Amino acid sequence: MEGLLWWLVAGTRGGINRARIIDELNSRPYNANQLAKCLKLDYKTVKHHLNVLTKNNIVTACGEGHYGTVYMLSATMEKNYDSFQKIWKESEKE
């Protein structure tokens, strides 16, 4: 899991935004529009990162429809949240 988190957060161009999304979802579930407003990001950007995070089992999507889908951290990510925080902190130093 740590290798995957390093790649998603520190190894790719969108890593900072993905880290911000993960961090925000740790506090509570959000839909994509709520995340976009909260993080002051474009809706399409948030949707792209949510798709990447969902495909990699970092985020779980619940509900149906374009705007009705709510995102939350997966159980695996919740267990590894401390590792994520360490990786995010390290990646900010670079």
Side-chain angles (χ1 to χ4, degrees), residues 48-64:
H48 166 74
H49 291 304
L50 286 170
N51 287 336
V52 170
L53 293 170
T54 301
K55 285 179 185 175
N56 287 284
N57 195 33
I58 303 298
V59 169
T60 302
C62 296
E64 293 183 23

Side-chain angles (χ1 to χ4, degrees), residues 39-74:
L39 299 172
K40 295 182 171 84
L41 293 172
D42 182 71
Y43 175 81
K44 288 182 181 181
T45 300
V46 169
K47 282 295 289 179
H48 166 74
H49 291 304
L50 286 170
N51 287 336
V52 170
L53 293 170
T54 301
K55 285 179 185 175
N56 287 284
N57 195 33
I58 303 298
V59 169
T60 302
C62 296
E64 293 183 23
H66 204 54
Y67 295 104
T69 304
V70 175
Y71 298 89
M72 61 197 73
L73 295 183
S74 68

Side-chain angles (χ1 to χ4, degrees), residues 16-53:
I16 292 169
N17 287 330
R18 281 193 281 278
R20 292 175 62 209
I21 290 169
I22 292 168
D23 189 55
E24 203 59 45
L25 289 175
N26 185 54
S27 64
R28 60 162 261 206
Y30 284 91
N31 68 31
N33 190 49
Q34 291 167 324
L35 277 170
K37 285 182 182 178
C38 180
L39 299 172
K40 295 182 171 84
L41 293 172
D42 182 71
Y43 175 81
K44 288 182 181 181
T45 300
V46 169
K47 282 295 289 179
H48 166 74
H49 291 304
L50 286 170
N51 287 336
V52 170
L53 293 170

